Amino acid sequence: MKDPDSEAQLPLPCIAPDSGAQIIQLPARPKNVAKARPSKTATDEASAKPIAKRSRSKNLWYALYLPQLRELDSTQQKKYLDQLAGHMQSVSSTVSFHPQALICEIRSSLKYFSGIDVIHQKLQRLIERQLQQWNLADDFFYAASPTVSGSLLLARSGNNVLVYRQENLRSALGQLSTDVLDLNKEQRRRLLNMGIRHLRDIWRLPSDGLRKRFGSNFVNQLNMALGIAAEPTHNYIPPPAFAASYDLPYEIENLDRLLPIADELLAQLCDFLRRRDLSTNSLALSLLHEKRDSTVINIGLRMASRSQQHLTLLLETHFGRLSIPAPIVAIKIEVRKFDAFFAKSESFLENEASRLKPYNDSNLNQFMEQLQARLGENHVKSVSNATQHCPEYASLQLDYKENPNQGGPVAISTEVCANPRPLWLLQEPKQLNINKGRLFYRKPIAIVSGPERIETRWWSGIDVCRDYYVAREHSGSRLWIYRERIGKRNWFLHGLFA
Amino acid sequence: MTTIQNHPDTQLPYQNQYQSAQADTFHGAGSSDIDELIQSNPKLWRGCDMAGQGIHGRSTGFTQLDAILPGRGWPEKGLMEVITPHWGMGELQLLIPLMRSIVEQGKWILWISPPYLLYAPALVQAGINTDQVLVVKLDTSCKDALWSMEKALQTENCGLVLAWQNWLPTKVLRRLQLAADTGDTLGVLFKHHDSEHSPSPLRLKIQDSYSENAGFNESEVTVIKARGNFRSLSANINLYQQA
């Protein structure tokens, strides 16, 4: 953070030593600020400068304190603070987290925003709106001072103040009650017993004795607030996001001609991922049209990747079945979700073991992604066997993506009964005719083996009471047929041994 | 053979010998004359000797079928057609041993729009790991199905691709054959009708057969065309060994 060149460049005047007011109320009482302004013009330039040089501190920290967050649980607090930190990034690049508070450095942005008033108003607008969205009280406390802890203590005290110079901090903080300090119960009780109500009472005590009685943390806390001790902060780093767009020089209707351009954008994305050691498993590609909603292609990957070749191939597949409503004027790629990149090591010698285990092979995954991209997510099914007595429920067709072993409604197993089962099952059992006393499907049927009695699902309302037989049609097909044991005792075809 | 008989003017040195040998076979004479003839003339050979030269197939699991296939089994890669008058004539039973060996290799089996629901318990009974079985739904368009078949054939992880398609143009079949060759995979097309000019290297037909001693238990499997065989051969096989 660069120090501003001279005091004169700063839009807010330092308070002249003779003005007496060391604390200015911030825009909560804008009149005071207005009053303070002319005081600078009145001040002799020559006398102000040496003081300014002496007292110039590197940073000005703006603290935002939200007591209403205290009622929420810690994860919720973290989530809210994260979002607010995002808002605060619009005025400062250095935002750090504190309990129920956020602090950002604003001296480096004072010139850009032409004054702390503007910064404060901007923040206030953003934060109030955000708090209203969350249905929280939309008021908050704020303060600005040359130290992080100092700003935090001032904000906690509820006086919305600005302390501009470091040497004024001591007197500004001195007025605060000791309640604002981060103390445990014992320390609090001890301070009370010593008759210390305000911070200025502590200033008067010898630091050696304080250190002995309250521990060095306590003394450090105060020293940091006064700017005597260094105070490192952990800055908020926003999650990465990638967006790249390209305005086409002319309108394109042919998607094949768009491919090289999309490829170029994907190259940028892969470069971005490689530099940050990330990979992604979902990206959104928007094709922008004139006077129409843009066409959005969402590409999801089974395994996070940063291979340009693979992404291009997937995009090509998506383009292959896409029809656009209007010519394209611009193209945009956005990625919001990232994963850490895991490099796979490939064996130097191609051994038998690795050839026999292609389950996690990226080749297969890429093939499956391509297949799903072209046919649609729910067109590729995996087949699994379920422990169900009722024949219709013993086989499951699940979307390939789903892992049937994780929380599925029915147990998947490899156990099957010993009785013959057909390879093909009819979607719906088909009633068989009886012709001249013989069962008839396409041709007459003769029973080969059976019966196998299945009685189940009485609890579901539709009772299953069937005698299953293996039958042979006169054309050579093997059929799986059953006869109902209740009702009309009709014969049905249920499967083909094929 | 017939051309020689129809043109008696053509003077070939072995013509008379040949005719007499043929007459012998027609009258059920011993094969010793034929053997002699083959040995004496290098231009003559037995058609069945060519079978299996340089080709090593994967056993079909049916000895009678192995015997009539070149390479004594299914080809390692390529396209084959199985022709049945209607679905469910035992064509899947015919392929069960093949599927089992492919799954054991760790490869996948892709079923592209089968006409009925694939029933998992039967696969488990047949010893096929259902984790390596994928199904593309029936309501997929023909274009998409062929596209998936081509892609699957090109992918080495898919060992076997099964598809149900009637009436495919020769161009498409050639393309699928090429894809199967690049991916080292075996593609099976199930059809109702045989087309003589199909470029697939192997064409099989399953028909019903009724014999006095076996009753209805056997089906007639005819190898209409196989690269390496010179004539169509057929065998009676009991496809439903387990059922």
Side-chain angles (χ1 to χ4, degrees), chain A residues 383-404:
Chain A
V383 181
S384 25
N385 180 44
T387 45
Q388 286 279 330
H389 196 42
C390 187
E392 292 98 310
Y393 296 89
S395 182
L396 298 172
Q397 290 216 345
L398 304 163
D399 284 354
Y400 172 66
K401 200 163 56 175
E402 295 168 28
N403 190 349

Side-chain angles (χ1 to χ4, degrees), chain A residues 147-438:
Chain A
T147 61
V148 175
S149 296
S151 304
L152 195 61
L153 292 177
L154 287 169
R156 269 198 206 152
S157 73
N159 306 320
N160 300 333
V161 288
L162 162 71
V163 177
Y164 202 64
R165 289 209 233 153
Q166 196 167 330
E167 65 258 35
N168 296 338
L169 253 178
R170 187 179 278 263
S171 52
L173 290 171
Q175 298 178 359
L176 304 181
S177 146
T178 51
D179 294 341
V180 297
L181 290 170
D182 201 8
L183 297 175
N184 60 30
K185 215 172 171 185
E186 170 62 19
Q187 286 172 322
R188 232 172 257 287
R189 191 187 60 82
R190 209 175 283 176
L191 275 179
L192 204 69
N193 288 351
M194 287 163 78
I196 293 169
R197 302 285 181 274
H198 295 280
L199 289 182
R200 63 169 169 261
D201 300 333
I202 305 174
W203 304 154
R204 296 195 191 102
L205 300 173
S207 64
D208 288 359
L210 275 177
R211 207 177 282 275
K212 220 176 233 171
R213 285 179 176 79
F214 291 98
S216 47
N217 271 350
F218 177 76
V219 180
N220 272 354
Q221 197 186 344
L222 292 170
N223 284 347
M224 284 197 282
L226 290 173
I228 299 166
E231 194 171 13
T233 54
H234 289 289
N235 289 340
Y236 165 72
I237 298 159
F242 176 85
S245 61
Y246 183 81
D247 292 326
L248 302 171
Y250 46 87
E251 292 184 349
I252 283 184
E253 279 186 69
N254 187 351
L255 285 169
D256 289 344
R257 290 171 70 187
L258 196 65
L259 258 181
I261 297 160
D263 205 26
E264 188 59 40
L265 291 180
L266 285 176
Q268 281 181 31
L269 168 67
C270 293
D271 196 41
F272 174 91
L273 294 172
R274 209 167 298 122
R275 282 188 196 165
R276 285 165 180 76
D277 204 31
L278 294 170
S279 59
T280 182
N281 57 11
S282 74
L283 56 140
L285 182 88
S286 322
L287 307 174
L288 280 71
H289 312 292
E290 193 112 38
K291 292 178 192 164
R292 257 179 197 271
D293 287 346
S294 51
T295 312
V296 181
I297 307 169
N298 286 308
I299 301 176
L301 284 86
R302 181 157 300 105
M303 256 173 68
S305 160
R306 65 174 182 205
S307 146
Q308 193 193 340
Q309 205 187 350
H310 178 43
L311 292 174
T312 310
L313 192 69
L314 278 182
L315 195 64
E316 226 178 294
T317 318
H318 274 281
F319 275 1
R321 58 162 196 166
L322 189 74
S323 58
I324 46 167
I328 301 157
V329 291
I331 176 171
K332 195 167 120 190
I333 288 183
E334 265 188 288
V335 181
R336 300 227 170 270
K337 271 189 186 164
F338 295 91
D339 262 337
F341 179 73
F342 291 104
K344 273 196 302 291
S345 57
E346 278 160 24
S347 68
F348 181 62
L349 299 167
E350 193 180 305
N351 51 358
E352 202 60 23
S354 71
R355 282 207 313 142
L356 282 174
K357 276 191 175 177
Y359 298 103
N360 298 322
D361 202 330
S362 58
N363 264 346
L364 186 76
N365 272 320
Q366 290 187 1
F367 165 65
M368 288 309 302
E369 271 159 18
Q370 234 188 323
L371 210 62
Q372 287 186 335
R374 165 98 182 208
L375 304 177
E377 288 279 309
N378 52 4
H379 266 71
V380 187
K381 301 279 185 187
S382 66
V383 181
S384 25
N385 180 44
T387 45
Q388 286 279 330
H389 196 42
C390 187
E392 292 98 310
Y393 296 89
S395 182
L396 298 172
Q397 290 216 345
L398 304 163
D399 284 354
Y400 172 66
K401 200 163 56 175
E402 295 168 28
N403 190 349
N405 289 329
Q406 281 174 4
V410 220
I412 307 295
S413 81
T414 51
E415 282 174 40
V416 277
C417 59
N419 292 311
R421 289 284 178 269
L423 271 165
W424 273 338
L425 201 72
L426 269 63
Q427 195 80 258
E428 290 283 322
K430 192 174 175 178
Q431 197 179 332
L432 294 169
N433 299 324
I434 296 176
N435 196 354
K436 292 173 195 162
R438 292 193 76 178

Side-chain angles (χ1 to χ4, degrees), chain A residues 358-359 364 374 379 381 383 385 391 395 400 414 417 419 421-425 472 474-475 477-478 496-498, chain B residues 86 88-90 92-93 106 108 116-117 119-122 124-125 130 132 134-135 137 144 157 164 208 216 240:
Chain A
Y359 298 103
L364 186 76
R374 165 98 182 208
H379 266 71
K381 301 279 185 187
V383 181
N385 180 44
S395 182
Y400 172 66
T414 51
C417 59
N419 292 311
R421 289 284 178 269
L423 271 165
W424 273 338
L425 201 72
R472 189 192 180 289
H474 271 217
S475 61
S477 311
R478 252 338 127 98
L496 292 147
F497 285 88
Chain B
H86 44 252
M89 291 276 295
L92 294 181
Q93 300 293 335
W108 288 61
Y116 300 102
L117 287 177
Y119 197 53
V124 176
Q125 278 179 346
T130 51
Q132 281 156 263
L134 283 174
V135 181
K137 269 168 64 177
D144 279 347
N157 302 80
W164 283 260
D208 187 32
F216 281 113
Y240 303 98

Side-chain angles (χ1 to χ4, degrees), chain A residues 68-80:
Chain A
Q68 59 267 52
L69 289 186
R70 210 179 299 172
E71 289 140 30
L72 306 171
D73 61 85
S74 58
T75 48
Q76 191 78 356
Q77 274 191 36
K78 171 100 181 56
K79 202 181 109 197
Y80 283 177

